[in-house]
Amino acid sequence: MRLLLRCDAGPSTGVGHAVRCAAVAEAAASSGHEVFWSGRLDGLGWLWAGLHDGGPPPGTVLPPADTAEDLAALARAHAADAVHVDHYLLGADLRDAVNRAGAVLSTVEDFATGRRPGDVVVDPNLGADTRPRPDDGSPVLLRGPGYAPLRTAVRRARQVRALRDAGGSRAPLPTGSPGGIGTAGATGVPVETGGAGGIGAPGTGGAGEPGTPGDTGGAGAAGPRVLVVMGGTDAAGLLPRVVAALAGAGAPADVEVVVPEGRAVDLPTGGPARFRAIPPVPDLPAAMAETDLVVSAAGTTVWELCCVGVPMALVQAADNQADGYRAVVAAGAAAGLGGAGDLADPGPAAAVLHTLLTVPAHRAGLAARARGVVDGEGARRIVDAIAVAAGGSGEHPLPGSALHARPATLDDAELLLAWRNDPETRRWSRSTAGIDLDTHRHWLARSLERDDRLLLVVSDACGPVGTVRWDRTEPGWEVSITVAPERRGSGLAAPLLRAGEQALRAVTGRGTPVTAVVHTGNAASARLFTRAGYTDDGTGPDADGFRTLHRTL
């Protein structure tokens, strides 16, 4: 499968969309699919470095497509089988344009935000699967945190955290220099890259708080380790208010504050908590796994924290986070600190944080409930669903390239007759009556002698898949396609059609006009040809209910 991802990242939009797409890209690439990106993706070196193979983003980066037609043009130019959109602002009219380009549309929404029709719709939020959703014709709905797209690094951190909570040894964190999580400084912020007691300092930490295995503080703070991360850009500018609330909690803590590039924050000194600023962390999940509490914006990071199983306190940083924030807090998987307005007075949030910092059992309960929310397999499930919608397999790369089309022979007579006389085949044919073997043999012999008909049998490693027949018309060729009854339901119709198109193109060359005649009641066939780029000629159905679709190969 050739998968085109569309997302943006930046100071105003944050990086959550890119992080989710990175997980999908990673899962797709690991399954043998080819990945393309379209979007504004500058300043994400830390994200690419944290993927399983490091380096640049997996796949080819293309210019951003900001309209439905531009997105469809990119899909068509790169022969994409599917387009996955994680973007709120591209409008609700994407599916028709993408389908006309021969691709299926997978689209991500967060409850009602970003909602649009798609061939696959993903809403990874807790409680999404229990809420009614308007029927907009989207056939595949992947709703709930089982479809939260998470990177390999998150699943790896989940294992590390499980060992830690079971009393195992701490794994050293990824470091940019000896003893530090990273070295790239943020504007206006002094950044520590190590030192006694820091989260990134291997071998430090106290004996742990009573009653909580592995819950240790820094050497200087003698309290729990805390990581503060307000998303990849802190678009809402919440870091100063969160830091004020932590300082107001009045409890010992060893706090590291992730400060994005271009942001500045004044850190308090002299209280029971010790604060340090650090730059964005390439392997943030690994850092989470080694902390006792994470204070986070209620965006994509929430699902990573749930999967890893880390106690968390959440801030609603944007309006579109409201539903997800409320659901996670109501489930007891996180403590809630409110939104930006609530933090204007740090007192209430400081009281919540005081309890979290001083009651290890409270943190442990949050972590246990969070871990049960997300299992980390969402990206693989999304890629499987997209592959199936695009006509492939959910367990292997799209089998279209593994199909082989050959000219039919007289030895195929009984096989072709069985397919032709199948009740479901006859139901949608112009001729619905069954025929006998002798009649069929005569028809087949004449067909094989004609130069205006190309009759193909298509197979894969498991055997015959179906047949494609091309009949010369003016000004092009009309297609008929039959999937073998025993192979139906396996996502083979689209690759069967592609194999037939490739065989015709090998004979006639590029630019050949082709048509498909589809009964108005045959919705599955209509979707197949629409997704393959066939368009209605505008004449409407004939007296028998058949309409004609056109494409140029």
Side-chain angles (χ1 to χ4, degrees):
M1 173 174 68
R2 295 165 67 88
L3 176 63
L4 173 62
L5 307 172
R6 175 67 181 96
C7 64
D8 283 334
S12 61
T13 60
V15 301
H17 301 286
V19 171
R20 292 195 296 204
C21 278
V24 172
E26 195 178 43
S30 67
S31 295
H33 303 301
E34 189 173 358
V35 177
F36 300 83
W37 295 74
S38 168
R40 298 164 182 85
L41 304 170
D42 295 334
L44 295 178
W46 59 269
L47 174 60
W48 314 135
L51 297 182
H52 77 283
D53 57 356
T60 302
V61 179
L62 306 171
D66 293 328
T67 68
E69 293 307 321
D70 287 347
L71 188 61
L74 270 187
R76 187 178 296 109
H78 295 275
D81 299 294
V83 177
H84 180 74
V85 175
D86 196 335
H87 200 300
Y88 298 149
L89 303 179
L90 296 185
D93 59 346
L94 301 183
R95 183 168 60 174
D96 287 347
V98 169
N99 286 170
R100 287 195 299 271
V104 297
L105 175 67
S106 169
T107 179
V108 181
E109 62 190 32
D110 291 297
F111 294 106
T113 304
R115 179 171 291 165
R116 61 175 66 90
D119 300 293
V120 176
V121 172
V122 181
D123 186 344
N125 288 284
L126 182 64
D129 51 336
T130 63
R131 291 195 179 193
R133 183 185 187 278
D135 184 1
D136 58 6
S138 301
V140 178
L141 302 178
L142 310 181
R143 308 176 74 202
Y147 298 100
L150 301 178
R151 296 164 287 159
T152 300
V154 178
R155 298 195 299 275
R156 183 170 58 242
R158 178 182 176 93
Q159 297 172 345
V160 171
R161 182 73 187 199
L163 289 173
R164 176 188 186 276
D165 289 344
S169 61
R170 274 187 208 276
L173 291 179
T175 58
S177 64
I181 288 179
T183 58
T187 302
V189 182
V191 178
E192 288 200 19
T193 58
I199 290 178
T204 65
E209 296 183 37
T212 306
D215 196 358
T216 63
R225 296 179 173 187
V226 181
L227 184 66
V228 179
V229 54
M230 290 293 115
T233 62
D234 186 25
L238 293 173
L239 280 177
R241 296 185 180 188
V242 171
V243 167
L246 275 165
D254 198 16
V255 183
E256 292 203 338
V257 182
V258 178
V259 182
E261 184 178 357
R263 293 285 180 184
V265 60
D266 293 325
L267 300 181
T269 59
R274 183 175 61 185
F275 292 84
R276 281 177 305 281
I278 64 172
V281 183
D283 195 348
L284 183 60
M288 294 172 177
E290 294 297 327
T291 62
D292 302 316
L293 174 68
V294 175
V295 183
S296 170
T300 301
T301 308
V302 170
W303 309 119
E304 297 183 347
L305 288 165
C306 284
C307 183
V308 176
V310 182
M312 60 181 136
L314 299 181
V315 178
Q316 181 192 322
D319 290 342
N320 66 284
Q321 295 177 359
D323 288 331
Y325 169 86
R326 286 193 292 264
V328 175
V329 172
L337 303 180
D342 299 307
L343 289 174
D345 174 8
V352 173
L353 290 167
H354 179 84
T355 300
L356 289 170
L357 294 173
T358 58
V359 184
H362 187 43
R363 295 198 300 272
L366 291 176
R369 288 186 288 272
R371 186 177 172 86
V373 170
V374 180
D375 66 2
E377 299 298 322
R380 295 176 183 175
R381 296 182 181 116
I382 292 169
V383 171
D384 277 355
I386 295 172
V388 170
S393 164
E395 298 179 352
H396 304 286
L398 190 70
S401 59
L403 297 188
H404 172 69
R406 62 168 176 82
T409 70
L410 289 174
D411 291 336
D412 296 312
E414 294 186 15
L415 179 68
L416 293 171
L417 178 63
W419 295 346
R420 168 26 185 109
N421 277 346
D422 174 73
E424 186 67 14
T425 302
R426 288 189 286 120
R427 178 186 177 193
W428 302 114
S429 300
R430 285 192 180 275
S431 175
T432 58
I435 60 175
D436 59 59
L437 181 57
D438 286 342
T439 301
H440 177 69
R441 285 186 186 278
H442 284 96
W443 172 87
L444 178 58
R446 292 193 303 272
S447 294
L448 298 180
E449 294 172 355
R450 293 171 56 172
D451 58 8
D452 61 349
R453 174 170 291 171
L454 178 62
L455 182 61
L456 304 166
V457 174
V458 182
S459 302
D460 63 8
C462 297
V465 169
T467 180
V468 179
R469 189 181 85 221
W470 296 99
D471 289 300
R472 183 66 184 266
T473 61
E474 288 300 331
W477 295 76
E478 180 181 322
V479 64
S480 300
I481 177 173
T482 301
V483 178
E486 64 274 12
R487 303 298 298 274
R488 289 174 185 155
S490 300
L492 290 167
L496 172 63
L497 175 60
R498 278 196 296 272
E501 290 175 337
Q502 290 166 3
L504 178 65
R505 190 185 295 120
V507 174
T508 63
R510 290 188 175 273
T512 301
V514 295
T515 60
V517 178
V518 180
H519 195 276
T520 53
N522 193 347
S525 185
R527 284 196 301 271
L528 167 68
F529 286 106
T530 298
R531 290 171 179 171
Y534 291 70
T535 58
D536 198 312
D537 66 0
T539 61
D542 62 17
D544 296 319
F546 290 89
R547 62 192 182 99
T548 301
L549 309 177
H550 296 266
R551 186 189 177 200
T552 300
L553 296 182

